[in-house]
Amino acid sequence: PCPAVSLRSALVLRGSYEAVLCEIKTLIVSQVSLAEEPDALYQKLTVRVKGHDRSVLDSYEFFVTLAAGELGLKLEKACEPPKHTDKLALLKSVHIFKKHHVQYETRTHQRRIEVSRVTGSSARVYLEYIQRNLPEGVAMEVIKTSAEKIPEHIHTPLWDECRRQR
Amino acid sequence: MAAYITHPALSSLSKINCNINAIYCFISFSRRISISSNVLSTSAVTTESEAAGRGVRGQRRSKRQAGEPRTERMTVDQDWTAVYPTAASFKPSTVPLPVRMGYPVKRGVPPAKKGNLELMKIPNFLHLTPVAIKKHCEALKQFCTEWPSALDSDEKCMKHFPIQVQSKEFVSAGLSLQNPDARIVTLKVKLSSLNLDDHARKKMIKLCEERYCKDTDTLTITTDSCPLRQQNYDYAMYLLTVLYHESWVSFGTNVAWVCFQRLNITPFFHFIWFLMRREVITTPRLHGNMLGYLWDTFS
């Protein structure tokens, strides 16, 4: 029976809160279905995060590493590449006083987290979870390295078949 | 009753009105007093402080006093995921921690959490405690799949899946959500894993020019000419296919190749090259400039 019908029937027949809750749970579980196409294989998944606040990135790294561990993904490394600083020297005064400048700087901290040997479904779940909980003011870059088989049309050269046909 | 209550608003009203006209002033004065008395009688229960803060109009809503903060009623073993289920700003009355943040002015202490803007500005991870993360992952685990156990090392991966396709995704806030670098696709493959014979391999290397790295025996194809990532991926696979099949093509050169191989007359060829000089022989095109191709393969 289709899931919508069973939920409606649960509401009508039983009407109790616990019954409806377990019907919803079965709904969620029944929505996990296997697709026909094979799962993609990612040899490496690199997540790079950049932000202006180091403590925010510290907390985010803790969250990312714990989430990877809980979902059963293998964490290769979680390192901190050196920060990038943009410096700017401007005139302190509105008019004249060239000898007096004021210096500003923008610090961009970054983190690099590498997860190895992930399937396509797990990668999609993990990345969506990570990206939904990305804090304000933090940017992310994901580099996916997928491993693929040689396609069938590259196995043997075309000219051999042409010669055989002649 | 109204006559005995001396309200500052009333007194000011009476002053203004009496200046205009005597009769008009008398009527308006009485009317205004009656209206104001109604107001006073309805709000007779209000406290002194609120009466003092009332405006000229006298019809402002009374402000409720804030009750005790929620932290007073919190137990130590409560479910924190119910207090902060999603990302929310820092609320001092909801977080039972004695947090202080800010610059200690005049060698003092950092300001307390009540009304602290610094604590509200910074993104907090109160909704992502280890307990909460474990709960989320428990619910998400059913959508994950396991890595095949037979491919536990990198060498086995490369043996069965020799082609590596690299692409990037970006998440950031800005004027535009799109990032033009997201469409770039890089395809890496080792020539040793492709079905190439000696001649085809050398022709392939010649066709690839700088995309081939001799040390790692890797061919790298980077495509960014199409607007979508899927299109760039298809183009990269198309280039690989074309390179492969063209490297097996050998019209005029194959006979000469076989002759040179069997008769083993490489010194003769070197002599010819020396005679003709290097500048005359150009880089071979797809179907092969015979001498140039021979020079490249033998030198």
Side-chain angles (χ1 to χ4, degrees):
Chain A
C2 68
V5 169
S6 61
L7 177 63
R8 215 178 297 131
S9 60
L11 283 165
V12 164
L13 292 172
R14 294 175 219 181
S16 67
Y17 180 71
E18 287 81 23
V20 171
L21 206 70
C22 70
E23 280 293 331
I24 291 167
K25 277 180 189 167
T26 51
L27 250 181
I28 293 165
V29 168
S30 62
Q31 275 166 11
V32 178
S33 58
L34 298 169
E36 283 130 19
E37 58 191 53
D39 213 355
L41 294 169
Y42 292 111
Q43 201 156 16
K44 199 160 66 160
L45 206 73
T46 308
V47 175
R48 281 181 65 209
V49 268
K50 286 192 202 175
H52 292 302
D53 205 324
R54 200 168 172 269
S55 47
V56 169
L57 288 178
D58 279 337
S59 308
Y60 190 68
E61 191 194 336
F62 174 78
F63 157 65
V64 164
T65 47
L66 188 64
E70 288 295 314
L71 285 173
L73 306 177
K74 192 187 161 203
L75 204 76
E76 283 290 312
K77 65 171 172 175
C79 64
E80 188 189 350
K83 68 173 183 280
H84 171 76
T85 317
D86 274 322
K87 284 191 198 164
L88 201 61
L90 301 170
L91 291 168
K92 203 186 251 189
S93 170
V94 159
H95 181 55
I96 52 170
F97 304 118
K98 188 59 180 270
K99 269 194 262 181
H100 304 91
H101 282 66
V102 69
Q103 290 192 324
Y104 293 105
E105 64 177 29
T106 305
R107 292 175 189 168
T108 309
H109 304 269
Q110 39 185 327
R111 291 295 150 100
R112 193 188 178 91
I113 294 126
E114 279 182 20
V115 179
S116 69
R117 292 186 219 125
V118 198
T119 53
S121 322
S122 305
R124 217 176 297 144
V125 166
Y126 179 63
L127 283 173
E128 189 173 338
Y129 182 49
I130 296 272
Q131 284 164 9
R132 276 187 191 272
N133 289 311
L134 196 69
E136 303 86 355
V138 174
M140 186 201 272
E141 182 188 331
V142 179
I143 305 164
K144 290 176 170 173
T145 312
S146 76
E148 286 175 24
K149 289 200 164 181
I150 296 178
E152 278 174 23
H153 42 267
I154 300 182
H155 277 308
T156 49
L158 206 66
W159 315 105
D160 278 350
E161 289 162 28
C162 290
R163 271 178 226 146
R164 272 180 232 144
Q165 277 167 14
R166 278 173 212 163
Chain B
M1 192 167 79
Y4 292 110
I5 299 168
T6 50
H7 195 266
L10 276 173
S11 58
S12 61
L13 271 170
S14 59
K15 269 182 225 161
I16 291 160
N17 287 326
C18 285
N19 286 331
I20 305 161
N21 197 358
I23 303 162
Y24 175 67
C25 164
F26 179 74
I27 295 162
S28 57
F29 182 68
S30 57
R31 196 188 302 157
R32 270 177 178 70
I33 282 185
S34 61
I35 292 164
S36 314
S37 68
N38 284 333
V39 170
L40 280 169
S41 58
T42 48
S43 55
V45 289
T46 55
T47 56
E48 275 181 26
S49 59
E50 281 156 29
R54 221 172 282 153
V56 178
R57 300 286 168 187
Q59 299 223 359
R60 202 170 145 199
R61 239 184 318 156
S62 57
K63 195 175 174 184
R64 276 188 304 166
Q65 289 285 1
E68 60 155 13
R70 189 177 156 182
T71 51
E72 310 284 318
R73 280 174 276 133
M74 278 181 177
T75 55
V76 178
D77 56 349
Q78 69 169 342
D79 183 24
W80 182 252
T81 55
V83 181
Y84 265 86
T86 49
S89 61
F90 181 87
K91 287 160 195 120
S93 55
T94 314
V95 178
L97 302 167
V99 186
R100 286 178 173 271
M101 186 160 169
Y103 186 75
V105 176
K106 280 184 190 170
R107 311 293 306 158
V109 288
K113 64 177 180 177
K114 195 174 175 193
N116 196 328
L117 195 65
E118 294 295 317
L119 278 168
M120 279 195 265
K121 282 194 296 192
I122 199 84
N124 64 64
F125 286 79
L126 292 162
H127 60 292
L128 291 174
T129 50
V131 176
I133 296 169
K134 278 168 190 162
K135 268 194 189 177
H136 298 154
C137 291
E138 274 301 314
L140 289 171
K141 236 182 154 62
Q142 58 181 316
F143 300 103
C144 295
T145 50
E146 262 185 44
W147 180 261
S149 49
L151 298 166
D152 39 345
S153 70
D154 275 338
E155 290 79 28
K156 285 187 193 171
C157 264
M158 289 302 287
K159 185 183 150 200
H160 295 282
F161 299 91
I163 296 183
Q164 285 190 314
V165 179
Q166 209 179 68
S167 60
K168 290 187 186 178
E169 278 176 14
F170 298 90
V171 181
S172 66
L175 294 167
S176 163
L177 286 175
Q178 281 96 20
N179 192 316
D181 289 344
R183 70 182 200 288
I184 298 170
V185 169
T186 309
L187 192 140
K188 283 187 183 171
V189 65
K190 284 204 170 167
L191 291 188
S192 49
S193 55
L194 294 173
N195 180 19
L196 293 167
D197 74 347
D198 203 27
H199 157 271
R201 189 195 148 81
K202 289 187 175 166
K203 183 162 181 183
M204 179 86 126
I205 292 166
K206 195 69 207 165
L207 286 169
C208 301
E209 292 165 11
E210 67 247 350
R211 289 175 196 84
Y212 174 74
C213 173
K214 223 186 286 181
D215 304 319
T216 52
D217 186 36
T218 320
L219 163 66
T220 311
I221 297 172
T222 310
T223 42
D224 65 344
S225 31
C226 305
L228 296 180
R229 194 190 295 144
Q230 183 60 38
Q231 291 171 346
N232 278 316
Y233 170 75
D234 291 337
Y235 181 46
M237 293 305 270
Y238 160 76
L239 283 177
L240 182 68
T241 314
V242 160
L243 274 171
Y244 177 78
H245 290 300
E246 279 300 338
S247 66
W248 275 95
V249 168
S250 49
F251 283 140
T253 54
N254 210 17
V255 176
W257 172 272
V258 168
C259 288
F260 272 79
Q261 271 190 320
R262 287 199 184 145
L263 302 175
N264 196 22
I265 44 172
T266 30
F268 174 62
F269 178 77
H270 278 295
F271 174 69
I272 290 177
W273 169 78
F274 178 76
L275 286 177
M276 295 191 70
R277 300 235 162 47
R278 196 172 166 171
E279 293 90 79
V280 178
I281 300 167
T282 56
T283 47
R285 294 168 79 224
L286 278 176
H287 295 290
N289 171 1
M290 190 177 104
L291 276 168
Y293 184 69
L294 286 171
W295 166 70
D296 285 313
T297 51
F298 280 100
S299 61

